[in-house]
Amino acid sequence: GAVVSQHPSRVICKSGTSVKIECRSLDFQATTMFWYRQFPKQSLMLMATSNEGSKATYEQGVEKDKFLINHASLTLSTLTVTSAHPEDSSFYICSATPSGRTDTQYFGPGTRLTVL
Amino acid sequence: KQEVTQIPAALSVPEGENLVLNCSFTDSAIYNLQWFRQDPGKGLTSLLLIQSSQREQTSGRLNASLDKSSGRSTLYIAASQPGDSATYLCAVGPDTDKLIFGTGTRLQVFP
């Protein structure tokens, strides 16, 4: 089956530092990847849509300069949280849509970010 | 703006019971609806996908129905097991690739 991995699974950083999270589709190519954020006991909120070779599309209220997304290849998208603050602490989940398909998203295992 | 709500927020039942989880959405113009399972601190596992033209989907002990006109979907779990304990999320697709998630139902099935 289609597998999506995320790295790291957990990260703890100091306030003001930047953190990069990787999302990889292991056995399929993904033209489109999505980044979600999930706060404790809340649902997933879509942050941005990442398209290979083009700029990401951000949802309303998500700061594009704070959450940098790069989708440089058909199997890798990265989310960089710049100048992280404690309120950025959350569970970040990515998903990937196989190229040529639009109605299926395969989800990664998530990355727990804690900003001290 | 599409809003997705799930009731109940939490549910604790003994093993063997049949369960119904509810999902409602405010805008009936959807492309599809999916049910996911999320284990604590983990990603999502897709359970069932219902296209807007369909009324239900079944997989093993799971059955999901969709009533677009009333903005409702239900997930029926037959003969629940402790291994079913997880958070169940429904998500509607307003178009072909975006998903809007519900608030989730935390299910605990005890032996």
Side-chain angles (χ1 to χ4, degrees), chain B residues 45-66:
Chain B
T45 301
S46 179
L47 299 174
L48 291 164
L49 166 66
I50 310 177
Q51 301 292 351
S52 62
S53 59
Q54 298 174 325
R55 295 194 64 85
E56 67 176 339
Q57 283 286 342
T58 298
S59 176
R61 294 183 294 109
L62 304 179
N63 175 276
S65 66
L66 173 64

Side-chain angles (χ1 to χ4, degrees), chain A residues 21-76:
Chain A
I21 302 170
E22 294 185 349
C23 176
R24 292 181 185 273
S25 57
L26 298 185
D27 49 4
F28 64 96
Q29 294 185 330
T31 307
T32 303
M33 291 184 174
F34 300 89
W35 287 96
Y36 296 85
R37 180 167 51 184
Q38 185 178 34
F39 291 107
K41 296 188 178 181
Q42 294 187 27
S43 194
L44 279 73
M45 297 297 294
L46 179 64
M47 299 175 65
T49 303
S50 169
N51 294 298
E52 187 267 336
S54 64
K55 291 184 179 181
T57 303
Y58 291 81
E59 295 299 303
Q60 191 173 12
V62 178
E63 301 175 57
K64 60 182 66 178
D65 293 331
K66 181 170 185 62
F67 299 99
L68 301 179
I69 292 173
N70 183 282
H71 193 157
S73 78
L74 287 172
T75 59
L76 173 64

Side-chain angles (χ1 to χ4, degrees), chain B residues 21-40:
Chain B
L21 308 182
N22 298 291
C23 172
S24 61
F25 45 96
T26 55
D27 187 345
S28 61
I30 63 171
Y31 184 77
N32 58 32
L33 184 143
Q34 295 188 58
W35 284 92
F36 293 89
R37 169 187 174 136
Q38 185 178 29
D39 292 288

Side-chain angles (χ1 to χ4, degrees), chain A residues 32 34 36 38 41-46 49 57 59 91 93 97 102-110 112, chain B residues 6 31-32 34 36 38 41-46 49 51 89-90 96-104 106:
Chain A
T32 303
F34 300 89
Y36 296 85
Q38 185 178 34
K41 296 188 178 181
Q42 294 187 27
S43 194
L44 279 73
M45 297 297 294
L46 179 64
T49 303
T57 303
E59 295 299 303
F91 193 55
I93 300 178
T97 298
T102 58
D103 62 351
T104 301
Q105 292 185 33
Y106 297 100
F107 285 80
R112 172 74 60 193
Chain B
Q6 291 183 245
Y31 184 77
N32 58 32
Q34 295 188 58
F36 293 89
Q38 185 178 29
K42 304 290 185 181
L44 276 66
T45 301
S46 179
L49 166 66
Q51 301 292 351
L89 296 166
C90 74
T96 56
D97 55 8
K98 281 193 175 181
L99 289 174
I100 298 174
F101 282 85
T103 47
R106 281 177 284 114

